[in-house]
Amino acid sequence: MEPDYIIEMLHIRKEFPGIVANDDITLQLKRGEIHALLGENGAGKSTLMSVLFGLYQPEAGEIKKNGQVVKIHNPNDATALHIGMVHQHFKLVDVFTVLDNIILGAEDTKCGFLQRRVARQKVQELSDKYKLYVDLDAKVEDITVGMQQRTEILKMLYRDNEILIFDEPTAVLTPQEIDELMEIMRGFAKEGKSILFITHKLNEIMAVADRCTVLRKGKCIGTVNIADTNAQELSNMMVGRPVQLQVEKAPAQPGDVVLDVKGLTVPSKTSKKNAVHDVSFQVRSGEIVCIAGIDGNGQTELVYGLTGLTHSAAGTLTLCGKDISHASIRHRSQAGISHIPEDRHKHGLVLDDTLENNIVLQSFRESRFQTLGFIKRDAVRSYAEKIIGQYDVRSGQGPVTVARSMSGGNQQKAIIGREIDRENPLLIAVQPTRGLDVGAIEYIHKQLVAQRDAGKAILLVSLELDEVMNLADRILVMYEGEIVGELDPKTATPQELGLYMAGAKRMKGGEEA
């Protein structure tokens, strides 16, 4: 007779300098179930799963598989036990192709030669079966974040794992892709695979999970059956207080044009076709304009073109009446652009530097932080402590914490606090609540609305339909590098928005074509 639980993590304790990440946590996973792990940013969810995957060694506790105590010293041990993990921050080699990343460490060889054709066939079959379509020959550095996510999932499936750990797997997926992933996860469970699913999205837990374990500040609050609970109760367990799940805001009062984009064209890094073609729009002070669309339709390249991360091929950009079309990244920033980037690791943080240095990355040249080229360390420390406190950035050693050691959600909160506090006339926010818990999302949404009401122009790029419908004053839909529709969120429906996002509908001259 098989044991009730395929995996048991009993009384796990994991410490880091200045913080107990997991404090006497017990988690039990049934065979063939989807078990959600819920908690605030920094609650210890990813740490607990990293212990199970062998990335960390616990100070106390034990792990059992099928009732037998096992020792997991590293990810190779986990793989040998058929435990796989899709990490929140991808473990991919940028200069390798998608195929090479998937098979890395699990190569099929014959007489010392890599069986690439066999590997490609297996990956292609998995890709087709689970509708995880990727370009196997593209380099990882050239594909979107959403494609990188699919690569990670295929990498896990390639190893024939029976215990699947998903750490924030839907953070970068579109609503349609999320629905597909939910179906894939249900299929895994029916096949007898067991899933541990970390997410901050309560609706996903309610839709797909069988049970949910809630962590708060490193401690286990409890495990509940999803059939016996609701989203509000789960959010209360997670945060310890009632959370407002809907955004409250007054009607926008748009003012002068802050950003004027005319005929912007941005080349693609992966093909000869332009990623953004002849895009024109305006963002005024006192409004939130949201760019909506399925991932990979030019949103990333549009932001790169606006911020200077990629040179545009044509078009003009005007910020507060000043032409910045050919300005450098630094000069655009100094001219009044704050930018919350899509990829916080690549474009948001210096991961091996301290939190306080990251918080003043954009502003250390200002007189309040330096004199004659010498940094005022006390001023930097004081300012960092203000941002850390205001945005509840949780870190083991406060301002001197190395950014890489922080949870993804807390890294995100540090970037958001830094960019909002710069008080620039334009804030470009790309997936600002990616990886954040409901309490943090509630706070960030209120901050964005407050910035709008204070007269800032906000350009929001989001893949979250709920976020788009709740926050936007105007919605611009991108499809294949073009703006195909402008919608009013007060009158548009999610279904109508979805049709524009899929290219089934488009506007010409302000009228539906």
Side-chain angles (χ1 to χ4, degrees):
M1 181 178 176
E2 290 185 336
D4 291 338
Y5 301 108
I6 188 169
I7 286 289
E8 296 175 86
M9 303 184 74
L10 305 173
H11 308 292
I12 300 296
R13 181 180 179 87
K14 179 60 191 171
E15 301 175 10
F16 295 104
I19 191 169
V20 179
N22 295 148
D23 187 2
D24 191 27
I25 292 178
T26 291
L27 173 69
Q28 295 171 308
L29 174 66
K30 294 178 180 178
R31 189 179 305 277
E33 81 164 335
I34 301 175
H35 193 120
L37 194 57
L38 180 66
E40 293 180 282
N41 301 121
K45 307 178 301 298
S46 294
T47 299
L48 186 66
M49 292 300 95
S50 293
V51 168
L52 178 58
F53 193 59
L55 291 170
Y56 296 144
Q57 297 303 307
E59 277 68 42
E62 65 180 12
I63 299 172
K64 291 182 178 181
K65 184 185 179 190
N66 293 325
Q68 301 296 315
V69 175
V70 294
K71 298 294 183 183
I72 305 176
H73 300 289
N74 53 55
N76 288 334
D77 290 345
T79 300
L81 291 167
H82 299 289
I83 300 171
M85 183 170 181
V86 174
H87 302 269
Q88 180 182 6
H89 297 122
F90 311 133
K91 308 293 184 184
L92 300 172
V93 182
D94 283 352
V95 296
F96 281 13
T97 65
V98 169
L99 178 62
D100 288 339
N101 269 281
I102 291 171
I103 66 176
L104 185 63
E107 300 90 343
D108 284 327
T109 59
K110 186 175 182 180
C111 300
F113 291 93
L114 178 64
Q115 300 296 293
R116 184 177 293 274
R117 184 179 298 175
V118 175
R120 176 182 288 272
Q121 183 178 346
K122 180 177 177 181
V123 173
Q124 194 63 59
E125 288 172 356
L126 289 169
S127 175
D128 293 340
K129 179 179 178 180
Y130 296 111
K131 299 180 181 178
L132 294 164
Y133 301 121
V134 290
D135 181 355
L136 296 180
D137 297 312
K139 287 187 177 181
V140 165
E141 63 185 356
D142 294 329
I143 62 177
T144 66
V145 177
M147 289 293 180
Q148 292 178 33
Q149 175 72 278
R150 296 179 196 178
T151 302
E152 279 281 19
I153 295 172
L154 284 168
K155 184 174 161 184
M156 181 174 64
L157 296 175
Y158 183 78
R159 286 153 177 78
D160 300 320
N161 292 311
E162 61 178 359
I163 298 150
L164 313 179
I165 305 169
F166 288 89
D167 190 355
E168 296 286 347
T170 64
V172 294
L173 301 183
T174 65
Q176 291 90 338
E177 289 170 330
I178 290 171
D179 290 341
E180 289 173 3
L181 181 61
M182 297 295 106
E183 280 301 314
I184 289 169
M185 290 171 69
R186 292 187 190 100
F188 287 157
K190 288 178 182 177
E191 291 174 8
K193 297 182 188 292
S194 306
I195 298 173
L196 283 162
F197 175 39
I198 299 176
T199 184
H200 294 109
K201 300 176 183 178
L202 298 172
N203 60 327
E204 292 175 6
I205 292 177
M206 298 304 298
V208 78
D210 300 305
R211 292 190 301 150
C212 177
T213 295
V214 182
L215 305 185
R216 191 195 312 154
K217 295 183 179 178
K219 293 182 180 291
C220 182
I221 302 301
T223 298
V224 295
N225 291 317
I226 296 303
D228 302 328
T229 189
N230 56 56
Q232 191 65 57
E233 184 179 330
L234 287 174
S235 69
N236 291 353
M237 287 179 69
M238 176 173 64
V239 183
R241 61 173 176 82
V243 177
Q244 187 175 330
L245 300 176
Q246 293 295 318
V247 179
E248 289 186 359
K249 60 187 178 77
Q253 304 293 328
D256 297 333
V257 173
V258 172
L259 177 67
D260 192 359
V261 181
K262 292 181 179 177
L264 182 66
T265 298
V266 181
S268 171
K269 288 184 177 181
T270 57
S271 70
K272 294 181 180 180
K273 185 179 178 182
N274 289 321
V276 177
H277 177 67
D278 195 25
V279 165
S280 300
F281 63 92
Q282 293 179 331
V283 186
R284 298 176 179 272
S285 63
E287 72 170 347
I288 299 175
V289 175
C290 184
I291 304 288
I294 296 171
D295 189 33
N297 276 276
Q299 305 96 311
T300 297
E301 291 82 2
L302 172 66
V303 172
Y304 284 5
L306 296 176
T307 57
L309 288 167
T310 296
H311 293 296
S312 55
T316 59
L317 304 176
T318 306
L319 181 68
C320 299
K322 180 180 178 182
D323 190 338
I324 60 166
S325 304
H326 304 290
S328 66
I329 299 172
R330 178 181 169 187
H331 286 118
R332 293 186 198 204
S333 176
Q334 291 176 331
I337 296 179
S338 290
H339 176 210
I340 300 168
E342 175 184 17
D343 190 330
R344 54 180 167 249
H345 282 185
K346 188 178 288 186
H347 298 128
L349 296 166
V350 179
L351 288 170
D352 293 314
D353 207 346
T354 61
L355 177 56
E356 64 183 4
N357 285 347
N358 274 285
I359 285 176
V360 297
L361 267 182
Q362 305 276 34
S363 51
F364 68 89
R365 295 182 183 86
E366 297 174 11
S367 58
R368 58 178 170 157
F369 296 131
Q370 63 90 20
T371 302
L372 299 175
F374 292 93
I375 299 293
K376 299 177 182 176
R377 300 308 316 180
D378 289 345
V380 170
R381 177 70 51 85
S382 177
Y383 178 68
E385 287 174 343
K386 184 195 101 169
I387 296 296
I388 289 168
Q390 185 177 343
Y391 287 85
D392 189 27
V393 183
R394 298 180 187 177
S395 51
Q397 297 170 288
V400 298
T401 304
V402 175
R404 187 184 296 278
S405 70
M406 296 162 53
S407 72
N410 282 295
Q411 292 172 352
Q412 185 76 353
K413 286 191 280 187
I415 294 170
I416 290 169
R418 177 186 73 199
E419 297 302 320
I420 286 180
D421 202 67
R422 291 178 61 213
E423 298 184 352
N424 282 326
L426 175 65
L427 171 63
I428 300 176
V430 188
Q431 293 285 87
T433 57
R434 176 191 168 198
L436 297 186
D437 60 68
V438 289
I441 290 172
E442 175 194 42
Y443 181 77
I444 297 306
H445 283 173
K446 286 181 178 178
Q447 287 294 310
L448 291 174
V449 172
Q451 294 300 308
R452 179 204 74 165
D453 293 343
K456 278 192 183 180
I458 297 176
L459 181 64
L460 172 68
V461 180
S462 179
L463 301 177
E464 302 286 346
L465 276 185
D466 289 343
E467 188 166 66
V468 171
M469 300 300 287
N470 277 325
L471 280 180
D473 299 308
R474 285 193 291 131
I475 302 171
L476 303 177
V477 185
M478 283 196 77
Y479 176 71
E480 292 188 344
E482 299 180 5
I483 301 290
V484 296
E486 179 173 333
L487 305 177
D488 183 344
K490 293 191 291 292
T491 57
T493 65
Q495 291 75 19
E496 182 184 11
L497 181 57
L499 289 173
Y500 280 100
M501 290 168 65
K505 293 177 73 173
R506 66 169 57 220
M507 289 182 178
K508 286 187 178 179
E511 299 292 331
E512 187 176 316

